[in-house]
């Protein structure tokens, strides 16, 4: 963990022995940032890419094992075509620009969601990026693309039903572990911290199964204005929580 290049007094408040292993972020507020600055809505999305760069860099330096970003939900297909096209251009630009950086910084690229709904060229670029970084093991960067939590759970149920129908899986053998193997996040550690920007206090169909015992942190900061110190504040907030996982405080103390 190399913290020498992070210039923040908040580092002194971090407990490096209690860092979250998996952080997810609902990156909200691009449109409101653009409106506040009298700019076209799509400019807010481009500005948000700069924040992605900052946060990916910080998480890598902090030794975070997995960072998952809610980039494009399955409901986002209902947005105006011009905005959707811009978001696809931004994704294309980001992957092309960051490919070598991910390799050099030992970051494995990953996705969750219904990739088959994305443009064919974007699908090819995603596949290439995944293959190019498949041996990187410093951090996993996951983009949720055309993703919906309900759809993910429904797909898992359908796959399990097919296994049962074909005789490859017995109903009595279905448990949490088996079910989780059919989720998109099966290769990722449990989600510790979920951050949402812009002041909205809802989950928006994101990682519904995975957040069962996740700590939630909401901030009014718009995503394009979200800085390294904002994430450090979220991590410090996380470290101040008492995570009991259904147990009593006395049980945790004894453990």
């Amino acid at each position: 963990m190399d913290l020498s290049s992070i210039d923040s007094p908040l580092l002194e408040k971090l407990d490096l022995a209690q860092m979250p292993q998996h952080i997810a972020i609902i990156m909200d507020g691009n449109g409101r940032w653009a409106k506040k600055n009298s700019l076209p809505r799509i400019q807010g999305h481009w500005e948000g890419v700069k924040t992605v760069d900052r946060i990916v860099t910080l998480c890598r330096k902090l030794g975070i094992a997995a960072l998952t970003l809610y980039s494009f939900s399955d409901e986002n297909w209902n947005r105006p075509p011009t905005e959707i096209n811009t978001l696809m251009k931004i994704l294309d630009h980001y992957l092309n620009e960051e490919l070598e950086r991910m390799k050099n910084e030992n970051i494995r690229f990953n996705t969750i969601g219904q990739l088959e709904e994305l443009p064919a060229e974007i699908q090819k670029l995603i596949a290439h990026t995944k293959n190019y970084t498949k041996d990187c093991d410093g951090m996993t960067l996951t983009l949720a693309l055309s993703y919906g939590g309900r759809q993910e759970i429904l797909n898992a149920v359908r796959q399990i039903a097919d296994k049962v129908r074909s005789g490859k899986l017995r109903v009595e053998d279905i448990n949490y572990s088996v079910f989780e193997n059919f989720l998109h996040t099966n290769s990722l550690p449990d989600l510790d911290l979920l951050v949402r920007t812009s002041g909205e206090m809802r989950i928006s169909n994101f990682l519904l199964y995975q957040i069962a015992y996740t700590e939630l942190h909401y901030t009014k900061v718009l995503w394009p204005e979200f800085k390294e110190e904002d994430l450090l504040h979220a991590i410090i907030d996380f470290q101040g929580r008492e995570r009991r996982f259904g147990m009593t405080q006395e049980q945790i103390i004894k453990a």
Side-chain angles (χ1 to χ4, degrees):
M1 187 182 301
D2 179 16
L3 305 182
S4 60
S5 60
I6 301 176
D7 183 18
S8 172
L10 292 178
L11 284 180
E12 297 179 2
K13 299 182 179 181
L14 279 183
D15 181 352
L16 300 181
Q18 298 294 328
M19 295 295 289
Q21 288 300 294
H22 185 182
I23 298 175
I25 304 178
I26 300 175
M27 306 179 293
D28 197 14
N30 291 340
R32 272 166 282 180
W33 178 87
K35 184 177 181 180
K36 186 177 79 169
N37 289 278
S38 301
L39 295 169
R41 180 179 174 85
I42 58 175
Q43 189 60 41
H45 295 305
W46 282 108
E47 193 68 22
V49 175
K50 299 177 184 178
T51 303
V52 171
D53 281 342
R54 290 196 297 267
I55 299 309
V56 169
T57 297
L58 177 61
C59 285
R60 183 70 187 94
K61 290 178 180 178
L62 291 173
I64 304 299
L67 173 65
T68 299
L69 303 176
Y70 203 5
S71 305
F72 190 85
S73 76
D74 55 6
E75 289 94 354
N76 285 158
W77 291 111
N78 296 319
R79 293 189 176 188
T82 52
E83 183 169 348
I84 293 174
N85 289 338
T86 296
L87 291 171
M88 293 300 114
K89 288 179 182 178
I90 289 173
L91 178 58
D92 180 276
H93 170 82
Y94 180 80
L95 293 180
N96 277 300
E97 288 291 315
E98 300 297 322
L99 182 63
E100 291 301 329
R101 175 196 173 193
M102 284 189 276
K103 185 76 169 183
N104 293 336
E105 296 186 13
N106 202 22
I107 298 173
R108 180 176 74 91
F109 179 71
N110 182 48
T111 61
I112 57 175
Q114 308 300 310
L115 296 186
E116 66 275 9
E117 297 178 357
L118 299 174
E121 289 305 311
I122 294 293
Q123 292 184 46
K124 291 179 182 178
L125 180 56
I126 288 172
H128 172 67
T129 307
K130 285 182 176 180
N131 183 66
Y132 193 69
T133 62
K134 64 181 180 180
D135 296 324
C136 297
D137 58 7
M139 184 178 85
T140 298
L141 171 62
T142 300
L143 300 187
L145 298 167
S146 192
Y147 173 86
R150 288 180 174 179
Q151 187 64 47
E152 179 186 24
I153 293 170
L154 182 59
N155 288 346
V157 171
R158 287 172 174 167
Q159 292 178 62
I160 291 171
D162 283 340
K163 294 285 186 182
V164 171
R165 182 170 51 193
S166 64
K168 296 179 181 178
L169 180 64
R170 300 188 306 168
V171 172
E172 54 268 31
D173 291 333
I174 301 173
N175 54 29
Y176 289 129
S177 179
V178 169
F179 184 82
E180 289 164 6
N181 282 331
F182 289 90
L183 296 176
H184 298 164
T185 53
N186 58 44
S187 65
L188 299 174
D190 288 342
L191 182 59
D192 294 312
L193 173 63
L194 174 64
V195 178
R196 179 167 189 151
T197 61
S198 87
E200 302 293 348
M201 299 181 69
R202 54 179 178 269
I203 301 303
S204 296
N205 199 20
F206 186 46
L207 300 175
L208 297 181
Y209 180 93
Q210 295 85 347
I211 62 171
Y213 284 102
T214 298
E215 298 299 324
L216 309 180
H217 177 90
Y218 297 99
T219 174
K220 292 182 179 180
V221 178
L222 302 175
W223 179 246
E225 297 172 340
F226 192 79
K227 301 295 191 295
E228 291 88 344
E229 291 213 340
D230 295 305
L231 183 60
L232 292 175
H233 274 298
I235 295 173
I236 292 168
D237 180 27
F238 164 83
Q239 293 179 340
R241 311 276 182 92
E242 186 179 78
R243 308 188 76 198
R244 297 197 297 268
F245 299 98
M247 296 187 292
T248 65
Q249 185 180 31
E250 289 75 15
Q251 286 176 302
I252 293 175
I253 292 174
K254 289 179 180 179

